[in-house]
Amino acid sequence: MADNASSLRNGNKVLIENQPYLILDTDFVNPGKGQAFTRIKIRNLLNNKVLEKTIKIGESLQEADVLNTKMQFLYKENNTYFFMNLETYEQTDIGKDILSDNSRWLQDGEECDVTIWNGNIIQVDPPKFVNLTVLSTEDTIKGDTVSSTLKNAKLENGEIVKVPIFIKEGEQIRVDTSTNEYASRVKN
């Protein structure tokens, strides 16, 4: 068991009812009357469900024995994704269900953050930013010079993101995979 104060930090992984959770947010509450407690917002690392839980002072949570490592995405075949451990060079295949929406940002050869629990990969995070080519964009109205105006752009991976009006077909853009939004233009 870990002591309460140190285990209840944003980003820590804890074990609740034999399942690993990631602490997203902590809020220490001292109501004035009654006992102080900590309210935590946690995300289940197996099914991505987010919930809130109250931890009383003196109560402790066990740290989840998860391993975070980097793996290289090699290729996709049907709904199976193949990764290579960068230390052992072992190849591992992962089903689409574990990747969820993150699969759309995977590019051959990219390094991903992988979370392993009980010998199984339970989470794969693509790189924070990926560079993709714009296949097509909407036409803009002549004279529309408002810098905050956005238009849809279809990317090489089939995704559609909002981009500034100055982005043209064939250009490379950087996408933030945590927000699924345009980040910047890629300079050649």
Side-chain angles (χ1 to χ4, degrees):
M1 291 281 179
D3 76 81
N4 200 23
S6 65
S7 66
L8 294 180
R9 278 208 202 102
N10 294 1
N12 279 9
K13 293 169 181 82
V14 293
L15 209 55
I16 298 172
E17 295 167 9
N18 291 323
Q19 294 205 335
Y21 284 84
L22 173 69
I23 297 177
L24 301 173
D25 195 31
T26 57
D27 185 22
F28 181 75
V29 181
N30 195 349
K33 269 187 166 176
Q35 192 179 19
F37 61 91
T38 303
R39 186 178 302 120
I40 59 173
K41 189 176 186 180
I42 51 180
R43 183 179 45 146
N44 186 313
L45 292 174
L46 299 177
N47 60 24
N48 282 328
K49 287 194 173 107
V50 174
L51 53 113
E52 284 191 5
K53 188 166 176 58
T54 301
I55 308 294
K56 295 181 186 110
I57 298 301
E59 213 180 312
S60 57
L61 292 175
Q62 188 176 347
E63 278 194 56
D65 187 19
V66 295
L67 171 71
N68 293 317
T69 187
K70 289 222 178 264
M71 290 184 124
Q72 184 180 37
F73 173 62
L74 299 175
Y75 62 95
K76 173 190 173 203
E77 197 172 278
N78 300 322
N79 280 334
T80 305
Y81 295 77
F82 293 87
F83 290 83
M84 180 177 67
N85 183 316
L86 293 169
E87 291 166 15
T88 64
Y89 301 107
E90 276 180 56
Q91 286 190 25
T92 306
D93 57 285
I94 301 169
K96 186 171 175 56
D97 54 324
I98 290 170
L99 290 164
S100 62
D101 286 348
N102 290 336
S103 63
R104 63 182 154 175
W105 303 121
L106 291 178
Q107 294 178 295
D108 295 1
E110 290 283 339
E111 283 184 23
C112 300
D113 291 316
V114 175
T115 304
I116 300 170
W117 181 64
N118 284 352
N120 298 313
I121 293 173
I122 58 169
Q123 189 175 335
V124 176
D125 292 320
K128 173 89 173 104
F129 294 100
V130 290
N131 296 341
L132 292 163
T133 303
V134 175
L135 291 183
S136 63
T137 61
E138 294 176 340
D139 290 333
T140 52
I141 301 152
K142 200 168 182 69
D144 192 353
T145 56
V146 179
S147 60
S148 63
T149 304
L150 299 175
K151 62 182 180 180
N152 286 333
K154 186 173 184 178
L155 306 178
E156 64 182 284
N157 65 349
E159 292 299 313
I160 294 176
V161 296
K162 296 261 184 218
V163 298
I165 57 174
F166 58 80
I167 297 294
K168 296 176 183 67
E169 290 178 19
E171 280 193 88
Q172 279 226 317
I173 63 166
R174 223 176 147 93
V175 176
D176 183 331
T177 61
S178 62
T179 61
N180 302 329
E181 293 175 351
Y182 167 87
S184 68
R185 192 185 240 169
V186 176
K187 311 238 183 320
N188 291 345

